[in-house]
């Protein structure tokens, strides 16, 4: 069978392959990038779905507009306004099947084979795969604990003149990094200076543990004239409400939204109307603030437990920045005392010890740092985190 040439640019997810190894009894997994299903607001979602069927059953169960179910678009605009994006109206956004579909639509509408796209190094693995599928040449911009290094990013923009720049400014996957307020403004200013489109992916921004993060690029764009027309913002309910609803959204300039809507029509006609109606009723009911407060509290405890355990059981064999939000600890093996310094090697040893994580290598589009690894604290309770990290400490020390 002859497949499309574009498939030569991608390979199956290393994370998906890793999950095949997780059937071993008693294994503790820090590998997944998903929220804890025990914290889903099942009662609230049930009430929302019942309300959707009671109030507008015909609309909830029928085909719908490709742009999205209008009551949900209105609720999402209000949700964004509650977070400071007061200039967002319902017709400024389209509903997508998870924020990942927004990335696919960006690939379809913007990327021609050979186009250059700048991403963070490391970045979301599915982004690398998606953009490469459409033939993009990916350029890696270095990051630190404060997000993308804006001086380096501007040099790359000037040199490569990319179609767009893709960033996860707040608690990135996998890095957990939070772009500083100063750098956020710098990103918007360089977008205007170089006439370069910026894509802000924000699935984790509501999952902060202490103080709220700096305003999103979308919120800040009001203070940088001309930047709003060069900004795409992708949001999602997956990490804060339910991944199974597959509800995301994309806010973008009107011309781009129109092209994305056209491509979405070809792809899936529309996101599940029933899921959208359920999400709209949930947001309308006002349960989201309490849900967010609960998940922030639980994830904050787990993140702290993981950080404490890593310092206790791995000591100077590992270095990391304590996350201020999100779902991940991004760490780097130091090799201190002759201990293992390669994340891929450690991953295999760790499976044998009964604990799993994702090596950092696949998250880089170029020049991977093999010493890195991603640990998710979201789905294990504090006791399992401590036990899992203890096993990791054994794997680092013993072959």
């Amino acid at each position: 069978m002859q497949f499309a040439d574009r498939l030569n640019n991608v390979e199956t997810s290393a994370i998906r392959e890793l999950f095949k190894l997780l059937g071993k009894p008693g294994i503790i997994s820090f590998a997944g990038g998903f929220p804890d299903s025990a914290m889903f607001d099942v009662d609230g979602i049930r009430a929302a779905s019942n309300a959707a069927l009671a109030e507008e059953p015909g609309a909830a169960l029928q085909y719908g507009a490709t742009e999205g179910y209008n009551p949900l678009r209105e609720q999402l605009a209000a949700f964004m306004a509650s977070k400071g994006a007061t200039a967002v109206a319902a017709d400024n956004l389209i509903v997508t099947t998870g924020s990942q579909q927004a990335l696919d639509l960006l690939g379809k509408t913007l990327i021609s084979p050979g186009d250059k796209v700048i991403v963070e190094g490391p970045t979301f693995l599915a982004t690398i795969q998606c953009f490469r599928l459409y033939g993009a040449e990916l350029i890696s911009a270095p990051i630190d604990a404060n997000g993308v290094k804006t001086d380096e990013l501007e040099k790359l923009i000037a040199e490569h003149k990319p179609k767009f720049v893709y960033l996860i400014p707040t608690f990135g996957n996998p890095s957990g990094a939070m772009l500083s307020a100063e750098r956020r403004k710098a990103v918007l200013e360089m977008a205007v200076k170089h006439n370069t489109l910026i894509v802000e992916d924000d699935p984790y921004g509501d999952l902060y543990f202490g103080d709220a993060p700096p305003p999103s690029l979308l919120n800040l764009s009001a203070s940088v004239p001309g930047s709003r027309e060069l900004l795409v913002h992708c949001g999602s309910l997956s990490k804060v409400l339910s991944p199974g609803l597959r509800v995301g959204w994309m806010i973008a300039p009107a011309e781009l939204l129109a092209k994305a809507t056209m491509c979405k029509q070809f792809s899936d006609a529309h996101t599940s109307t029933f899921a959208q109606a359920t999400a709209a009723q949930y947001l309308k009911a006002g349960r989201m603030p309490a849900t967010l407060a609960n998940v922030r509290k639980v994830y904050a405890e787990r993140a702290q437990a993981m950080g404490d355990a890593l310092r206790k059981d791995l000591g100077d064999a590992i270095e990391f920045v304590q996350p201020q939000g999100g779902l991940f600890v991004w760490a780097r093996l130091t090799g201190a005392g002759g201990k293992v310094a390669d994340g891929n090697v450690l991953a295999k040893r760790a499976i044998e010890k009964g604990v799993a994580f994702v090596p950092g290598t696949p998250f880089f589009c170029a020049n991977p740092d093999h010493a890195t690894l991603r640990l998710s604290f979201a789905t294990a309770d504090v006791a399992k985190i401590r036990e899992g990290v203890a096993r990791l400490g054994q794997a680092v020390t013993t072959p």
Side-chain angles (χ1 to χ4, degrees), residues 253-293:
E255 187 179 12
L256 176 53
L257 277 188
K259 297 291 187 186
T261 301
M262 179 180 69
C263 289
K264 179 174 168 60
Q265 188 174 18
F266 305 154
S267 176
D268 66 357
H270 60 82
T271 298
S272 163
T273 320
F274 182 59
Q276 291 186 73
T278 298
Q281 290 288 348
Y282 189 91
L283 291 171
K284 179 182 174 183
R287 296 179 69 108
M288 184 62 84
T291 294
L292 285 173

Side-chain angles (χ1 to χ4, degrees), residues 196-263:
T196 299
L197 186 70
I198 306 293
V199 175
E200 176 182 39
D201 198 3
D202 189 32
Y204 307 99
D206 291 310
L207 298 178
Y208 53 87
F209 301 152
D211 295 335
S216 67
L217 296 181
L218 179 66
N219 292 11
L220 281 176
S221 64
S223 66
V224 181
S227 62
R228 178 67 186 272
E229 293 73 34
L230 293 165
L231 184 64
V232 175
H233 179 96
C234 303
S236 174
L237 294 182
S238 290
K239 303 302 187 291
V240 295
L241 183 58
S242 160
L245 286 174
R246 306 308 302 132
V247 170
W249 61 95
M250 180 167 68
I251 300 165
E255 187 179 12
L256 176 53
L257 277 188
K259 297 291 187 186
T261 301
M262 179 180 69
C263 289

